[in-house]
Each structure stands twice: as C-alpha cells, then as structure tokens.
Amino acid sequence: MENRLGIGEVLLLVAVALIWGFNFVMLKVGLDDMPPFLFNALRFAIVIPCILFIPKPDLSWSRLIQLGIVFGVLLFGLLLLGMYLGVPAGLASLIMQTQVFFTVLLGMVLLAERPSWLRWLAMLIGFSGIAIIGYSMIEPSSFEAKATAFLSVVGAAFCWGIANIMMKRMTSAGMQSVMVWLSLVPPLPLYAMSLIMDGQPRITSALVNLSWVGVIAVIYTGLISTALAYGIWGTMLKRHSTAVVTPFALLVPVFGFSLSAIFLGEEYSVLQMTAAGVVTAGLALNVAAPYLQQSRFLPRKKAPVRAGPV
C-alpha cells in the first residue's frame, strides 16, 4: 500500500511531530516535580474523565487492555524511566525515533508490507541524520551514556513500534476514542510500580508539593500529546502504510532539540543542527517518493511481455 499523503495529512503529521517534540520538554519538567511512574500514572489518569463524552470504541476489552499495557505502561514507563535516569530531553527524542525502523520491520513481518526502494533510501538518510546527532551527543565531554537509561529508551521505542502495528490492525475503531479509553488501563499498574520503586512517603510528598508547572506538564502530556496527537497518528496509520507515516516521526528530534534549547537551555553544535537538516531531507524524500516513482527520470519495473497468438 504505497499511497500518497494529501497536503492536509502532511500538515497534520508535522503538527503531531511538533507536539511530540515539545512533549519531551514537558516530560523533563514534570520529572523535576515527581518520580517517573507516578508522573506517567497521572498523565493517563487526567484523560479518564473524557470517557464521559467519548463513546467506547468498537474494540474488545482484551485488545484495549493489551494496547493500554504496551502503550501506557511499557512505552511511557520505559521512556520516563530512561529520562529520569539521566537521558536528556533532546537525546530521548532522538533515540525514540528508532521506532520508525522497528515499525517498518514489524510491518514487513506481520503485515506483509513492502516499502519501495525510495522509501528505504529516505529512511536511510533520516537515520543517518539521527546517527550523526547521537554520535555528537554521546561523547565523553558532553554526555556519558548509562546503559540502563539508554536501553530503557530504546525499549520504549520498540514498544512504540509494536503499538503502531496494534493500532494499524484496529480497522473498525476510531483512534481518538481508543486513546481515551485505553487510559483506563495504565494508572493502577503504574501507581503500583511507583509504590514499589519510590514508596508511599515520596509519592505523598510529590503530590502535596506539586507545582503549577508540574500540573501543566501532566495536562499537556496527557490530553494534548497522548489523547490528541496519538489519536491523529493512529488514524494516519490506519489510512496509509507504516512506511508512509512513521518517517514523519523523524521530525520529532528536530523539534525536540530546538525546543529543548529554548526552554531547557540545552545547547547544540553546528554538526547537530546540520544533522537535523539531514533528517528533514530524508522526510522530504519520503513524502515525495510516490511522485518521483512516476517520473520518467527514474527506472520503473517493466511490464512482462506476453506472447501473442501463434
């Protein structure tokens, strides 16, 4: 399914990438106020009242619970744990984009999708930019990577890839309602994990001393980044192949670096900014791939020659 994106769909996906880029800033701000699993529990709990206004999706409870565990407990639990253990916001937004490749590979195995060579080239260019940014940040002088923190964020990216495939298979369910109703699943398991890891005294202290900035972080990450943006993302995945949609997530670290520099004071080099441009070039090629394949300047598969009547 190598279909084209409309202009409106392109703009929506860019907006989602922008929302997620700023989400990493909000995650880092929220972690200054509360431990990771408690923060994650609150971000989903704040979405729950929306079920009063949005009907339950046409989806069994078992599938909803499965997605809630993969998406809410594992994906964001591992991401916030990695950031809590020291991964900077900009670098976290970068590592998470390995989900693009996890998703495409899972799509090939589980959905029999076959991306064109131009899309593979686009992803290779985008990943090259991400690799350059990663290399420039994981230097002894700027960032000493901890294995546990790094692997936690990589694990979160893999869970994102699984969640993408799960969302794509929900053909009859509206993704906005799915995002709202799955929020019933993560809060209790995450609270239990926080209770084990942090203890009740620390949880109580974090809730009592929660600042207004922390409240904004919970609202943004829960309602805007999760319920709204992931609803749009899931809808696009249902309409188009994973290879068409997921490369837009390569824009997330571009926004993540820029917004982290503005709001968190994180500094980036010329090399890193150049690499962000490479990521953007990869995305542009991915969007233009269907049009380029129809160009007379690129080779096409020749139709088989059939023998005429003898």
Side-chain angles (χ1 to χ4, degrees):
M1 184 168 54
E2 285 288 314
N3 43 2
R4 300 181 183 180
L5 291 169
I7 297 298
E9 291 176 319
V10 170
L11 294 176
L12 271 178
L13 287 169
V14 172
V16 167
L18 176 59
I19 290 171
W20 284 343
F22 189 65
N23 187 60
F24 285 92
V25 175
M26 289 288 98
L27 291 176
K28 205 65 176 178
V29 168
L31 289 173
D32 289 338
D33 268 26
M34 64 200 97
F37 295 124
L38 176 62
F39 182 17
N40 205 26
L42 291 176
R43 74 177 292 180
F44 284 101
I46 199 171
V47 181
I48 292 177
C50 295
I51 67 174
L52 298 175
F53 310 99
I54 298 178
K56 181 181 176 295
D58 182 17
L59 199 65
S60 68
W61 277 108
S62 62
R63 295 185 70 185
L64 199 60
I65 291 171
Q66 289 169 10
L67 182 60
I69 291 172
V70 172
F71 182 84
V73 179
L74 297 179
L75 192 167
F76 284 106
L78 288 170
L79 171 60
L80 285 173
L81 178 61
M83 294 181 69
Y84 182 74
L85 293 175
V87 178
L91 182 57
S93 70
L94 162 72
I95 298 171
M96 282 297 290
Q97 300 329 305
T98 56
Q99 65 84 19
V100 172
F101 310 104
F102 288 134
T103 302
V104 172
L105 292 174
L106 288 169
M108 291 177 62
V109 174
L110 300 177
L111 304 178
E113 294 184 347
R114 293 295 179 265
S116 67
W117 69 270
L118 272 177
R119 293 201 189 281
W120 278 112
L121 177 61
M123 287 189 288
L124 178 62
I125 293 172
F127 183 75
S128 299
I130 285 180
I132 294 169
I133 296 172
Y135 172 78
S136 68
M137 294 190 73
I138 308 177
E139 291 179 345
S141 59
S142 60
F143 176 68
E144 186 175 344
K146 295 180 179 179
T148 302
F150 178 79
L151 291 176
S152 291
V153 181
V154 171
F158 180 71
C159 290
W160 191 357
I162 296 175
N164 283 337
I165 300 299
M166 293 174 72
M167 284 188 265
K168 187 168 181 61
R169 283 179 162 176
M170 295 175 181
T171 54
S172 61
M175 293 314 302
Q176 209 72 62
S177 59
V178 169
M179 287 297 108
V180 169
W181 279 79
L182 71 74
S183 297
L184 290 168
V185 179
L188 286 180
L190 288 166
Y191 180 80
M193 293 165 70
S194 184
L195 196 60
I196 294 170
M197 182 175 176
D198 308 304
Q200 186 59 52
R202 188 174 180 200
I203 292 175
T204 303
S205 175
L207 293 174
V208 169
N209 298 300
L210 188 62
S211 69
W212 67 269
V213 177
V215 172
I216 291 176
V218 170
I219 293 172
Y220 182 91
T221 57
L223 295 177
I224 299 176
S225 176
T226 302
L228 176 62
Y230 274 97
I232 296 172
W233 182 258
T235 301
M236 292 298 105
L237 281 172
K238 286 169 62 176
R239 292 181 184 175
H240 305 281
S241 72
T242 56
V244 172
V245 176
T246 54
F248 276 85
L250 294 173
L251 275 178
V252 175
V254 177
F255 291 127
F257 285 130
S258 304
L259 296 170
S260 296
I262 294 170
F263 292 99
L264 300 177
E266 294 181 0
E267 297 181 356
Y268 304 103
S269 66
V270 174
L271 176 62
Q272 292 162 349
M273 291 299 98
T274 302
V278 173
V279 173
T280 306
L283 175 61
L285 177 58
N286 180 75
V287 173
Y291 303 94
L292 292 174
Q293 285 176 314
Q294 295 182 357
S295 170
R296 60 189 178 89
F297 299 106
L298 290 179
R300 304 183 201 176
K301 291 182 179 179
K302 295 183 178 179
V305 178
R306 296 181 180 180
V310 179

